[in-house]
Amino acid sequence: PTFVSSSSQAPTATSTIQNRNTTISNAFDDLLGFSDNAPIAQLSGAPPAITNGPTDAFGGFNALVAPSTTPADQSGSSGKRPWIRGTIKASHASGSPMVNWSKVQLMLRVYKSSGNGAAAATVVVKVSNHNDTSALTNLTLNLKDFGNVAIGSVTPGSSSESSKIGPFSYPMTDKPLELKGTLSTSDCQVPVKLHLPVSMHFSPMEGLALEDVSAQLASPNWFALSTKLPVTTGSESVKSMLSSFLRMAEVEPQLSGPTNGTFAGQSVGSGAQVRLLAKIKTDKVKIDLKVTNAQLAEEIVSDLKRLVL
C-alpha cells in the first residue's frame, strides 16, 4: 500500500507495521460484522462448497501454500505447551468422604504422535491437590480401554504429574477426542474426562504474509467466531502457547509485536482452512477465529476455553 503524510515524508517502519496490523484486524472485524461494509458470517446451514487444494480453496486466490512438512513438534508447534483443564465429576465420587474432589484440579498437556495415518496424541496428566489436610494417597488414573496409570501420592498444596500416556488415535477427522475414566486413591474414586483438542488434526501454514491473509479473508467462504480468555500465567507467553496448542504458524511475527498475533493452519485430513487473530492484554486475550467449516470453528473455540494461559 501507498502511504501519504501531510509532510510528504516517506512512511516510517513503525507506521508500515501499524498499518499492516490494522489491515489484518479490520479484515477479521469485517467477517465478525464489526464493519458496516461486510455482512456477518453466520454459523448456520451447510458450509460453502470449496475445494481442498492449496491453491484454489478461495475461488482463484492463489497465495496459499501447502502445509509445512517440518516434523510435527517443530514448525508452528514448538512453543510453550499450555495446560488443558480436565473434568472431575465431584458429585459422583464414591468411597471415603475425606477427600473433597471439588478442591482437586485435573489438567493435561497434549503431544502429537503417530497414529498409522490418523491423528494421534500422547498426554501428560497433572493433578493438583488444594485440600487443606487430605492427601491423595496412591493416586491412580484409570482410562477406559487403556488401563491404569500411577500418579503417586499428592499431599495437600502440591501437584504430581504422570509420565507420557498413549498414544490415543482420533477415530474421526476434524473431531476432538474425549477420554473417560476415574481417579482413584486407596479408599475413594471419582469419574473424570480428558479432552484432547481437535488441533491434533492441524498442520501449520508456512510462508504466508499478512497481506495474503487479509486477501484470503475477503472471500465469503469463512465462518467467524470470537471469544475472550483469561490470562493468568503471563501475557508474554500467550502467542507461543497458542501456536503450540493450535499447531498453527504465526504470520510474520516480526511485524505483529508482542500484543497481536495472526496464525494460520489447515486440517491435514479435510483441507479446512483456519485463521486466528489474537489481541493480548495483561489479563486477557481476545480471539477472532475464521474457519472454512462451521462445526470445526465451534470445536476450536470449545477447546480454547479449556486452556490455562
Side-chain angles (χ1 to χ4, degrees):
T2 302
F3 297 84
V4 180
S5 66
S6 58
S7 59
S8 299
Q9 295 178 345
T12 65
T14 300
S15 67
T16 302
I17 292 172
Q18 289 175 340
N19 184 273
R20 287 181 176 180
N21 286 334
T22 299
T23 299
I24 199 72
S25 180
N26 288 343
F28 275 87
D29 286 349
D30 285 347
L31 276 177
L32 285 167
F34 297 152
S35 167
D36 292 334
N37 298 322
I40 299 176
Q42 299 295 325
L43 280 172
S44 60
I50 62 172
T51 57
N52 292 332
T55 60
D56 59 0
F58 296 92
F61 177 70
N62 295 321
L64 285 177
V65 296
S68 169
T69 57
T70 306
D73 286 325
Q74 293 184 24
S75 177
S77 59
S78 60
K80 180 180 178 181
R81 297 180 187 277
W83 289 104
I84 305 168
R85 295 180 184 88
T87 300
I88 296 178
K89 294 186 177 181
S91 61
H92 291 70
S94 60
S96 171
M98 294 299 294
V99 174
N100 183 351
W101 288 104
S102 66
K103 293 187 176 182
V104 177
Q105 186 177 34
L106 175 65
M107 296 187 292
L108 63 146
R109 276 182 172 150
V110 183
Y111 301 82
K112 180 71 175 177
S113 181
S114 58
N116 296 323
T122 56
V123 302
V124 170
V125 171
K126 178 180 180 180
V127 177
S128 300
N129 182 7
H130 300 291
N131 281 277
D132 295 329
T133 59
S134 300
L136 305 176
T137 306
N138 298 324
L139 187 66
T140 300
L141 173 66
N142 180 277
L143 293 174
K144 184 179 179 181
D145 300 325
F146 183 80
N148 293 334
V149 179
I151 296 177
S153 297
V154 188
T155 58
S158 68
S159 301
S160 183
E161 297 180 19
S162 72
S163 57
K164 279 191 177 181
I165 309 168
F168 301 97
S169 294
Y170 286 65
M172 299 179 65
T173 300
D174 291 352
K175 295 292 184 182
L177 178 60
E178 183 178 84
L179 305 178
K180 296 182 179 181
T182 59
L183 279 175
S184 304
T185 70
S186 299
D187 53 8
C188 60
Q189 67 177 17
V190 67
V192 299
K193 291 181 182 179
L194 303 180
H195 308 274
L196 278 59
V198 71
S199 55
M200 287 296 107
H201 295 282
F202 296 171
S203 178
M205 297 289 290
E206 304 285 358
L208 293 177
L210 291 173
E211 287 85 351
D212 296 333
V213 177
S214 180
Q216 292 167 1
L217 294 178
S219 162
N221 297 328
W222 297 95
F223 296 90
L225 284 178
S226 181
T227 189
K228 293 181 180 179
L229 308 173
V231 173
T232 60
T233 62
S235 59
E236 67 280 353
S237 61
V238 168
K239 290 206 294 181
S240 176
M241 289 194 289
L242 286 174
S243 178
S244 173
F245 174 75
L246 294 166
R247 298 185 50 73
M248 293 168 63
E250 185 174 3
V251 179
E252 294 190 307
Q254 72 277 10
L255 300 180
S256 297
T259 60
N260 294 281
T262 301
F263 300 86
Q266 78 171 18
S267 166
V268 175
S270 70
Q273 300 295 315
V274 184
R275 303 292 181 268
L276 181 144
L277 174 66
K279 299 179 181 179
I280 304 164
K281 296 185 178 181
T282 303
D283 59 347
K284 62 185 175 182
V285 54
K286 183 176 184 291
I287 301 291
D288 292 334
L289 180 69
K290 308 292 174 291
V291 188
T292 55
N293 179 283
Q295 184 61 44
L296 182 57
E298 293 177 340
E299 300 285 11
I300 295 170
V301 169
S302 179
D303 287 344
L304 286 169
K305 289 180 178 179
R306 295 189 178 98
L307 286 185
V308 179
L309 294 175

